[in-house]
């Protein structure tokens, strides 16, 4: 018989082993982790398959972040005692931390098969399901955890966060309110309630919720970041900049805060710092689908482009492309061959743009090139400042044949002041659409303006409103004949003025040097700058900003006064 086997039958040796195990557990509970670990190791020297020593040492290794060793130890423990729900649960935690989510889910399911009413395991299972993008299933797990323990704060919080992620904002708000009834000073819940309220466009209430959270956790970078977003939506860019700066002092690598800092700097006209900070967008998940990985140098102005072929690619909305494509001819002037990759709907319009050798629709095969640059990185590459914005308009022109075609269609309106009108954006493409859009009926005060006729440039679902314009509102609707931006541009070329909410048509009119009146929401886009009625990007544009969130009546009144003049 081996000495180890003999010790296993020696009552004194067994008693000594039990004492070591007892002392290890006591040390672990008292927070003396290193002492506990040494005692567990000593136990395992004597009895390598001792379940409690394997399990608890594995838990210590998990807490230390030594995940492979934790998984090895807890797995060995389960070989000794496969019916331990706690061991399966802890194995799930270690696997989740290692991002092995499928195996973690299996471990949590094994734990629940042994102990179905284990609320903590239901909660952890939900977290893993969220990591697997199975959000509806995760919601069921959190709901089960809350049913088992109605006062389970973390499960309630996770349930609300999942509802928020699923877009069920009313349900999420009710959940967070119920959570706060249990724990009124839970800063994370107050923060997430603010996130829901922001989604519901209740900006003042969101700001109040973030303020409460910040009072409880003033050095919490994420709360500061969300507070910054609320300040931006409240049209307070200077305070937003201060808040973003504070978040970055606490967490210098916080990309979301850096992005908010960029937005505030750009809105305030500090382009030197703003464009550099705006590159942080590539660290955010929402921009990742637009990021390109070509295996070629990413040009940001650091080298001479003469004799090189450079690809400029779109990355955001139509309006962004129309605004920043102005840099393409400047690169050609520096001796570069310029390839432009744009959204399919803009290809025909931009095909004959000066200085561009080829225009490719996104997704089409690309010709060879040496360098590339995203369109919204071009201001950084060119070192653009407020006073050096390349604002030589027009830099986009409509096709002459199409212009002539539309001139014929509009011949019945000769002698009228012809005004194009866009009253809404694309709700499916922009989360802020409800704040930037109006209904056609809200333009009723413009009805009956002498000598003026309006032309709908509206596309999408809101275009149907043109069938029922306000009484006395002279509106021609050719929207069914606008098959693309090239048609819209040709129609605009035949108009005297464009009135548009902040959408791509406003950029198109400005790029064509057409007089354009832009209706800007209270939390106006950074590109229009803070408290300016003109635009250094578009010399023919005039801005009409809301003076309070949702207050379009006053904007329309100012617009009427301007147009009447």
């Amino acid at each position: 018989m081996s000495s180890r086997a003999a010790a296993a039958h020696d009552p004194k040796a067994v008693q000594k082993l039990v004492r070591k195990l007892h002392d290890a557990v006591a040390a672990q509970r008292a927070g003396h982790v290193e002492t506990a670990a040494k005692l567990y190791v000593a136990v395992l020297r004597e009895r390598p398959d001792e379940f409690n020593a394997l399990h608890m040492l594995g838990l210590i290794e998990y807490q230390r972040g030594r995940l492979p060793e934790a998984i090895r130890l807890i797995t060995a423990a389960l070989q000794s005692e496969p019916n331990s729900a706690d061991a399966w649960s802890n194995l799930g935690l270690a696997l989740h931390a290692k991002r092995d989510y499928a195996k973690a889910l299996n471990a949590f399911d094994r734990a629940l098969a042994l102990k179905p009413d284990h609320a903590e395991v239901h909660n952890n299972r939900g977290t893993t399901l969220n990591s697997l993008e199975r959000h509806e299933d995760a919601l069921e797990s959190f709901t089960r955890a809350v049913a088992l323990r109605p006062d389970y704060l973390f499960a309630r919080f996770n349930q609300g966060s999942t509802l928020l992620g699923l877009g069920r904002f009313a349900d999420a708000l009710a959940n967070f309110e119920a959570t706060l009834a249990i724990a009124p000073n839970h800063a994370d819940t107050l923060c997430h309630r603010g996130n829901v309220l922001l989604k519901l466009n209740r900006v003042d209430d969101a700001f109040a919720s973030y303020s409460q959270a910040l009072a409880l956790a003033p050095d919490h970078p994420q709360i500061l970041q969300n507070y910054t977003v609320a300040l931006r939506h409240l049209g307070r860019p200077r305070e937003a900049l201060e808040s973003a700066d504070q978040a970055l002092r606490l967490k210098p690598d916080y990309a979301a805060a850096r992005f908010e800092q960029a937005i505030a700097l750009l809105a305030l006209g500090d382009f030197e710092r703003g464009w550099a900070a705006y590159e942080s967008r590539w660290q955010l998940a929402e921009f990742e689908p637009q990021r390109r990985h070509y295996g070629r140098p990413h040009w940001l102005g650091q080298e001479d482009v003469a004799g090189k072929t450079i690809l400029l690619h779109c990355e955001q909305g139509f309006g962004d492309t129309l605004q920043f494509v102005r840099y393409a001819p400047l690169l050609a002037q520096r001796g570069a061959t310029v390839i432009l990759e744009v959204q399919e709907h803009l290809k025909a319009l931009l095909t004959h743009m000066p200085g561009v050798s080829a225009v490719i629709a996104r997704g089409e095969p690309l010709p060879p090139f040496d360098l590339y640059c995203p369109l919204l990185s071009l201001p950084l590459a060119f070192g653009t400042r407020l006073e050096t914005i390349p604002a030589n308009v027009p830099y986009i022109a409509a096709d002459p044949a199409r212009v002539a075609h539309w001139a014929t269609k509009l011949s019945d309106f000769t002698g009228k002041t012809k005004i194009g009108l866009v009253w809404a954006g694309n709700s499916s493409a922009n989360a802020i659409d409800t704040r930037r859009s109006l209904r056609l009926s809200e333009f009723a005060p413009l009805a009956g303006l002498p000598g003026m006729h309006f032309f709908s440039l509206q596309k999408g679902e809101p275009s149907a409103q043109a069938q029922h314009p306000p009484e006395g509102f002279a509106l021609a609707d050719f929207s069914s004949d606008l098959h693309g931006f090239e048609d819209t541009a040709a129609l605009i070329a035949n108009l005297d003025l464009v009135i548009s909410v902040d959408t791509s048509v406003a950029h198109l009119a400005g790029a064509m040097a057409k007089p354009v009146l832009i209706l800007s929401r209270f939390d106006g886009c950074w590109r229009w700058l803070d408290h300016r009625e003109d635009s250094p990007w578009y010399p023919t544009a005039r801005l009409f900003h809301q003076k309070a969130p949702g207050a379009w009546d006053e904007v329309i009144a100012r617009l009427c006064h301007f147009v009447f003049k």
Side-chain angles (χ1 to χ4, degrees):
M1 182 182 294
S2 69
S3 59
R4 183 175 290 171
H9 290 83
D10 182 348
K12 288 184 179 180
V14 171
Q15 190 176 27
K16 186 178 179 182
L17 204 65
V18 170
R19 263 198 313 270
K20 278 185 185 176
L21 193 58
H22 178 272
D23 290 345
V25 172
Q28 188 173 5
R29 287 175 178 169
H32 305 308
V33 176
E34 293 301 325
T35 300
K38 289 176 182 177
L39 288 167
Y40 288 134
V41 169
V43 170
L44 291 170
R45 283 199 198 100
E46 299 297 321
R47 186 176 293 177
D49 60 350
E50 212 296 315
F51 167 77
N52 287 303
L54 288 165
H55 180 203
M56 301 312 288
L57 183 57
L59 189 57
I60 287 174
E61 296 292 19
Y62 162 69
Q63 292 164 345
R64 286 169 165 170
R66 299 172 183 171
L67 300 178
E69 182 64 5
I71 292 166
R72 184 189 71 77
L73 287 163
I74 300 174
T75 300
L78 284 163
Q79 290 172 352
S80 292
E81 179 50 72
N83 292 324
S84 170
D86 287 344
W88 280 112
S89 175
N90 288 329
L91 178 61
L93 290 173
L95 288 164
H96 180 96
K98 193 171 176 287
R99 299 185 179 183
D100 196 341
Y101 300 127
K103 289 182 179 178
L105 180 61
N106 178 66
F108 290 134
D109 285 343
R110 293 289 296 269
L112 289 171
L114 295 161
K115 195 175 182 180
D117 293 339
H118 199 312
E120 288 81 2
V121 179
H122 281 288
N123 177 65
N124 294 332
R125 180 178 186 270
T127 302
T128 296
L129 286 163
N130 267 336
S131 297
L132 289 166
E133 304 292 333
R134 291 171 54 184
H135 303 301
E136 293 286 356
D137 293 334
L139 184 60
E140 289 184 18
S141 284
F142 296 134
T143 302
R144 176 64 176 153
V146 170
L148 289 166
R149 274 183 50 192
D151 63 344
Y152 190 179
L153 176 62
F154 296 115
R156 280 189 173 277
F157 174 76
N158 288 333
Q159 183 185 37
S161 299
T162 303
L163 287 164
L164 171 59
L166 288 168
R168 292 170 54 179
F169 303 134
D171 291 337
L173 182 58
N175 175 281
F176 290 135
E177 296 290 4
T179 304
L180 289 168
I182 296 170
N185 294 326
H186 191 238
D188 284 339
T189 299
L190 286 163
C191 181
H192 276 59
R193 181 179 67 174
N195 294 344
V196 175
L197 290 165
L198 209 57
K199 291 290 187 182
L200 294 169
N201 280 323
R202 292 171 54 182
V203 181
D204 288 321
D205 292 335
F207 179 73
S209 200
Y210 292 139
S211 298
Q212 286 179 268
L214 207 54
L216 294 163
D219 294 331
H220 193 308
Q222 185 180 2
I223 296 174
L224 276 165
Q225 147 68 13
N226 291 330
Y227 181 74
T228 303
V229 173
L231 286 166
R232 170 162 60 85
H233 287 315
L234 288 169
R236 294 157 63 175
R238 295 186 188 281
E239 293 169 76
L241 179 58
E242 292 174 7
S243 179
D245 287 346
Q246 187 178 351
L248 287 165
R249 281 192 291 271
L250 293 165
K251 188 179 179 182
D253 62 347
Y254 194 0
R258 184 72 65 193
F259 182 74
E260 286 299 324
Q261 180 193 53
I263 297 300
L265 288 167
L266 292 172
L268 293 167
D270 187 344
F271 284 7
E272 183 175 2
R273 290 194 295 159
W275 293 123
Y278 195 64
E279 289 300 296
S280 63
R281 69 193 184 278
W282 300 122
Q283 298 172 48
L284 302 178
E286 63 190 280
F287 286 93
E288 183 58 35
Q290 308 302 326
R291 191 167 192 173
R292 311 301 169 83
H293 303 277
Y294 292 123
R296 294 172 178 80
H298 179 183
W299 185 75
L300 288 176
Q302 67 273 29
E303 61 182 281
D304 186 4
V305 295
K308 303 285 182 67
T309 298
I310 185 167
L311 170 69
L312 307 180
H313 70 79
C314 62
E315 53 168 287
Q316 297 182 40
F318 295 131
D320 300 284
T321 299
L322 293 169
Q323 180 177 359
F324 294 101
V325 75
R326 70 182 67 213
Y327 286 91
L330 303 183
L331 280 165
Q333 291 170 18
R334 293 187 178 189
T337 298
V338 180
I339 301 169
L340 191 58
E341 186 205 59
V342 299
Q343 298 93 330
E344 182 180 358
H345 294 296
L346 289 175
K347 180 180 177 180
L349 173 67
L350 300 176
T351 293
H352 301 294
M353 188 168 178
V356 175
S357 296
V359 179
I360 309 295
R362 183 168 184 177
E364 292 181 347
L366 293 169
F369 59 94
D370 305 303
L371 310 165
Y372 76 96
C373 184
L375 280 174
L376 274 77
S377 292
L378 286 167
L380 174 64
F382 275 82
T384 301
R385 304 292 181 263
L386 269 178
E387 62 276 10
T388 63
I389 288 174
N392 295 324
V393 293
Y395 57 85
I396 291 177
D399 175 64
R402 290 179 188 270
V403 173
H405 167 75
W406 278 97
T408 301
K409 289 177 76 73
L410 270 59
S411 58
D412 291 343
F413 302 96
T414 301
K416 299 281 189 180
T417 298
K418 297 182 281 293
I419 304 174
L421 186 62
V422 180
W423 55 88
N426 180 357
S427 60
S428 65
N430 202 316
I432 53 89
D433 190 68
T434 55
R435 300 200 301 281
R436 68 171 174 172
S437 296
L438 292 82
R439 293 189 61 78
L440 177 58
S441 58
E442 294 181 82
F443 287 87
L446 292 169
L449 290 177
M452 298 186 182
H453 208 99
F454 291 89
F455 295 82
S456 174
L457 299 174
Q458 184 67 53
K459 296 295 288 182
E461 186 177 336
S463 65
Q465 297 170 34
Q467 302 303 311
H468 305 284
E471 185 176 351
F473 195 89
L475 179 69
D477 181 16
F478 292 111
S479 58
S480 61
D481 295 324
L482 299 176
H483 303 296
F485 277 96
E486 61 274 23
D487 283 313
T488 301
L491 175 51
I492 288 173
N494 284 279
L495 302 177
D496 301 296
L497 172 69
V498 172
I499 298 173
S500 176
V501 297
D502 184 4
T503 188
S504 55
V505 173
H507 290 277
L508 177 58
M512 293 175 65
K514 184 66 62 176
V516 55
L517 310 182
I518 302 172
L519 311 186
S520 175
R521 67 187 191 274
F522 180 72
D523 57 322
C525 183
W526 55 266
R527 74 194 72 226
W528 305 129
L529 302 169
D530 185 41
H531 292 105
R532 285 186 66 152
E533 293 183 352
D534 67 327
S535 170
W537 295 99
Y538 300 114
T540 62
R542 182 181 176 90
L543 291 155
F544 291 78
H545 297 285
Q546 280 184 337
K547 293 186 177 179
W552 287 118
D553 289 352
E554 190 274 336
V555 173
I556 296 297
R558 274 188 285 133
L559 183 69
C560 280
H561 178 72
F562 182 84
V563 173
F564 266 121
K565 288 197 304 182

